[in-house]
Amino acid sequence: MEALFALLIGLLVAAGVFLLLSRKIVRVVLGLTFIGYAGNLAILTVAGLRELAPPLLTVPGPYMDPLPQALILTAIVIGFATTALLLTVALRAYQVAGHDNVAAFGDNLARDPQAGEGRFADPEHQGPDLPDLIHSDPEEPPEPDTGANTGRAGPGDREGLA
Amino acid sequence: MSGLSWLPLAPFVTSLGFGLLLLWPARRPVRVALSLVGTLATLAFAAGLLLATADGTVLVSALGGWRAPFGIVMTADRLAAWMSLLAAVSALLAVWQAAADPDPVREKYWLFALMQFLFAGVQLSFLTGDLFNLFVAFEVMLVASYALTVLGSTREQLREGFRYIVMNLAASSLLVVTCGLAYGVLGTLNFAHLAQRAAELGPNATVTAVGVLLLIVFAAKGALFPLGFWLPGTYPALPPAVGTFFAAVLTKVGVYALIRVFTTVFTQEPGLPNSLLLGLGSVTMLYGAFGMASQREWRRILSFTVVSSVGYLAFGLGVGTPEAVRASVAYLAVSVLVTTALFAIATVAERATGTRLVRARGMLEFLPLLAACFLLCALTVAGLPPSGGFVAKYALVRAGLAQGSPLALLAVVSALLSSLITLYAMLNVWRGFFWGKHPAWLSVYRVPRALHAAAYVASALVAGLTLFAGPLFARAGATAAELSQPERYIRGVLGDNPVVIPPAPTGTPKETHP
């Protein structure tokens, strides 16, 4: 039984890591949830897997320690909340950039049309933090309000919140 | 148990309560006042903890009235109270900055409430006495920090925030698994009880493995070298006030957890974790120092000083002697305060020139007092004589030399080298921003007086570190002495006659009632 669980946990972690290394944002989120499930199963396995042993002291016979299940319950609730939050961030990134790829976050060093010859990666000449037109879906143009983001830290960095 | 057993719970509950209160839609002055009052109350409770633990008392509050190994306990010993106070001081300055710098959009989306939730999570992490509760505290802190990181939705924030969130969620999963493993091996999660059982078991490979897993988790939270890649990008993307608190305190939570775990809980086989900490610490110091020298934006340079300071702390912890722990505890105070001050200075500097870059030159003419503050903080970060940073770094290096193992000597060399590079990087900032002649085409903007004041007050605290280095080191020495005798912590939490749980043939049954 433990061996089976160990295999299952290994499989889940492997799938999770594979998905985590993907470029699609949603896959990254799914990968993290897989890793979370693997963690929960690991706690269950470490605490001991035993049949016919309910976590009840009033019943005669062998009984399980209920604490690991309480731990898992807490971890599930927290994992649920963080996944929801991460999905919200992913959705926001999709709205800002117009496509579901980690390239959505851009790195504004390389894609500045105004930058001079050979100065693309110069931190002193960063491009404006504009939506990425090269990678975005032609059917779905980026929302107009996001064009106001300048990405500079100066006094004017407030327009981005929609 | 004394009548002060409610005190370890107070900082957390205060921050949480004011955070909930701030969700009520009120006008800005009301919200600012509530934030300031809440943070001041937290600070007062933290100061109370510091006084109450000064004589070596370990304050314990048992949640729900369940005694230590059964229920969740909040504990405050000297170290926890120390960290709680430092976090509260930094929190107050961060709220001050946020109050002085109106940001209507972010404030509409509960900036102040989220900051209080963040403070609540940090205080809970410092004052909890239970490994799983530490995970919960981390999550409270991190969820608030995720929200604050992406609040504003600029592309830079989303990019850096997403990386930060994914990194921390992965580390949190590892922490959950490690909690499960610790419970599987030792049958408990209470720090004191874990320490007691680990001591009964003696040197044990499985326990050491659990300890090393915890080291990896806390290294990721504290941004030790290979796992700290998210930090230098994330902190500059944050709004200034929030960035100040993040930089000053959040990595220190990871460091605190490392100190707690390796001086109180898993003390049986210190060899492996200590060499790991020494190795990673020496690389982290150099990484931070070289990063500082390579950057040209104010808060990017300063983010690398945060990385570097974590390296020094890991070095002190890895040396492992009481003198080294004493120096680390003192350096914690130096690092938290000087980072707060430097980020406050950077906020004013960025606002005065309207750019993130350090290239204005000649600002000495316009901001003479700020220049003086920066010089003091720069000397403190680099560790030159008239500053508290020198005292702490000197103590660290001396402890490393006294211990004398090859790895410790390597770390000493790396510490000295990285201090030198830090000095170079700081002088570069000085030369690029304050020195020289101001170009006429660059305009200088007016910065709110209260923002200036926050920078000055934080710098005054840094100066205070030098003036009160004696009491600071006395307190640090007492803390280190307490940490070198985990029995006192164990007895303080579990009581003089702890409940003995008899081993059972099947499972690990619990006593019915304490």
Side-chain angles (χ1 to χ4, degrees):
Chain A
M1 197 69 166
E2 274 84 0
L4 183 69
F5 267 71
L7 259 176
L8 198 63
I9 292 165
L11 210 68
L12 277 172
V13 172
V17 171
F18 175 74
L19 287 171
L20 201 59
L21 297 175
S22 159
R23 291 186 70 83
K24 292 270 179 205
I25 295 171
V26 175
R27 286 197 187 193
V28 173
V29 179
L30 284 178
L32 278 172
T33 51
F34 272 131
I35 292 176
Y37 292 143
N40 295 341
L41 277 184
I43 298 179
L44 197 67
T45 316
V46 164
L49 298 165
R50 209 169 287 115
E51 283 178 69
L52 299 174
L56 294 171
L57 288 175
T58 45
V59 180
Y63 52 87
M64 281 297 294
D65 185 0
L67 196 98
Q69 293 167 28
L71 299 187
I72 294 171
L73 191 61
T74 315
I76 287 175
V77 172
I78 291 178
F80 178 66
T82 48
T83 308
L85 194 114
L86 191 58
L87 278 173
T88 316
V89 175
L91 183 69
R92 188 81 194 107
Y94 177 72
Q95 285 173 343
V96 167
H99 58 98
D100 169 36
N101 192 308
V102 278
F105 302 124
D107 93 42
N108 45 357
L109 296 183
R111 255 175 254 108
D112 178 13
Q114 265 100 50
E117 193 77 21
R119 306 210 61 173
F120 291 121
D122 188 346
E124 287 197 21
H125 295 85
Q126 289 197 351
D129 215 352
L130 291 174
D132 189 356
L133 295 170
I134 303 167
H135 286 87
S136 57
D137 201 349
E139 274 89 26
E140 203 168 330
E143 290 166 40
D145 64 330
T146 55
N149 291 346
T150 59
R152 298 268 170 166
D157 189 25
R158 300 274 152 73
E159 301 88 38
L161 203 79
Chain B
M1 202 164 287
S2 65
L4 283 175
S5 63
W6 53 273
L7 201 53
L9 204 54
F12 164 65
V13 172
T14 312
S15 296
L16 192 69
F18 274 91
L20 290 174
L21 205 58
L22 280 164
L23 288 177
W24 188 260
R27 286 182 306 119
R28 186 170 194 272
V30 179
R31 280 195 276 181
V32 166
L34 275 178
S35 295
L36 284 171
V37 168
T39 323
L40 273 173
T42 313
L43 182 64
F45 286 129
L49 275 177
L50 194 78
L51 292 178
T53 56
D55 58 350
T57 323
V58 179
L59 290 177
V60 179
S61 58
L63 301 187
W66 291 83
R67 269 185 60 190
F70 302 107
I72 292 170
V73 289
M74 302 287 286
T75 50
D77 62 343
R78 285 184 179 132
L79 177 68
W82 184 236
M83 295 308 298
S84 170
L85 183 75
L86 289 175
V89 169
S90 184
L92 183 63
L93 284 162
V95 168
W96 181 343
Q97 270 189 290
D101 182 19
D103 186 346
V105 185
R106 289 195 173 102
E107 277 165 22
K108 189 177 153 210
Y109 290 93
W110 294 287
L111 176 77
F112 286 119
L114 284 171
M115 283 176 85
Q116 292 293 326
F117 290 139
L118 181 67
F119 304 154
V122 168
Q123 295 287 352
L124 185 63
S125 322
F126 288 146
L127 295 170
T128 186
D130 184 281
L131 188 59
F132 196 77
N133 203 32
L134 183 69
F135 161 69
V136 176
F138 272 176
E139 289 305 313
V140 172
M141 171 182 93
L142 289 172
V143 166
S145 77
Y146 301 154
L148 283 168
T149 314
V150 294
L151 191 64
S153 297
T154 64
R155 283 224 308 168
E156 187 188 13
Q157 277 190 312
L158 284 172
R159 172 174 71 235
E160 303 300 340
F162 195 77
R163 188 183 344 175
Y164 173 72
I165 296 174
V166 169
M167 179 68 205
N168 276 299
L169 283 184
S172 294
S173 302
L174 192 57
L175 182 53
V176 177
V177 174
T178 315
C179 287
L181 289 177
Y183 188 76
V185 179
L186 296 168
T188 178
L189 286 168
N190 185 289
F191 281 144
H193 206 205
L194 276 174
Q196 194 190 30
R197 291 216 161 161
E200 280 166 12
L201 215 55
N204 178 303
T206 323
V207 174
T208 310
V210 170
V212 170
L213 277 176
L214 284 177
L215 192 149
I216 296 172
V217 173
F218 298 140
K221 308 272 178 197
L224 273 179
F225 166 60
L227 301 169
F229 60 86
W230 50 268
L231 190 147
T234 307
Y235 289 0
L238 295 166
V242 177
T244 304
F245 185 77
F246 268 55
V249 175
L250 289 202
T251 51
K252 305 301 180 296
V253 177
V255 173
Y256 163 79
L258 281 174
I259 298 179
R260 172 61 74 219
V261 165
F262 290 110
T263 60
T264 309
V265 183
F266 297 127
T267 51
Q268 296 303 309
E269 235 177 349
L272 179 63
N274 278 359
S275 6
L276 272 175
L277 280 171
L278 273 179
L280 293 181
S282 35
V283 181
T284 310
M285 286 182 248
L286 282 176
Y287 169 64
F290 281 121
M292 258 179 263
S294 74
Q295 295 298 320
R296 273 175 280 180
E297 285 177 22
W298 263 104
R299 284 196 290 158
R300 252 174 228 278
I301 298 171
L302 297 183
S303 297
F304 275 106
T305 67
V306 177
V307 174
S308 192
S309 75
V310 173
Y312 284 103
L313 291 166
F315 159 50
L317 188 56
V319 169
T321 55
E323 292 78 51
V325 175
R326 164 171 163 268
S328 290
V329 171
Y331 191 72
L332 268 171
V334 172
S335 172
V336 168
L337 291 180
V338 83
T339 313
T340 311
L342 275 173
F343 271 74
I345 291 170
T347 308
V348 178
E350 281 181 352
R351 295 289 294 275
T353 54
T355 163
R356 284 182 178 190
L357 295 166
V358 183
R359 58 155 191 207
R361 299 183 74 86
M363 292 300 281
L364 184 60
E365 196 182 325
F366 305 100
L367 304 165
L369 197 52
L370 194 77
C373 289
F374 175 78
L375 205 57
L376 173 72
C377 293
L379 291 179
T380 309
V381 167
L384 280 188
S387 69
F390 167 72
V391 188
K393 275 193 183 174
Y394 178 69
L396 268 177
V397 166
R398 232 175 54 157
L401 287 177
Q403 199 241 21
S405 73
L407 208 52
L409 294 181
L410 184 76
V412 166
V413 172
S414 147
L416 294 176
L417 193 61
S418 73
S419 289
L420 196 66
I421 303 169
T422 307
L423 181 65
Y424 164 75
M426 287 293 135
L427 286 181
N428 244 351
V429 176
W430 172 261
R431 207 166 50 97
F433 193 81
F434 293 109
W435 210 239
K437 186 167 161 32
H438 187 77
W441 50 272
L442 267 179
S443 40
V444 177
Y445 300 94
R446 181 170 288 282
V447 183
R449 237 170 243 287
L451 271 184
H452 276 286
Y456 300 152
V457 169
S459 306
L461 289 176
V462 174
L465 285 176
T466 320
L467 296 179
F468 299 102
L472 175 77
F473 267 81
R475 171 83 193 188
T479 309
E482 190 178 79
L483 288 174
S484 65
Q485 299 167 322
E487 303 82 32
R488 288 188 50 192
Y489 180 85
I490 295 170
R491 204 155 1 99
V493 175
L494 297 181
D496 287 325
N497 20 336
V499 186
V500 179
I501 305 171
T506 53
T508 42
K510 297 279 168 197
E511 294 274 300
T512 42
H513 276 288

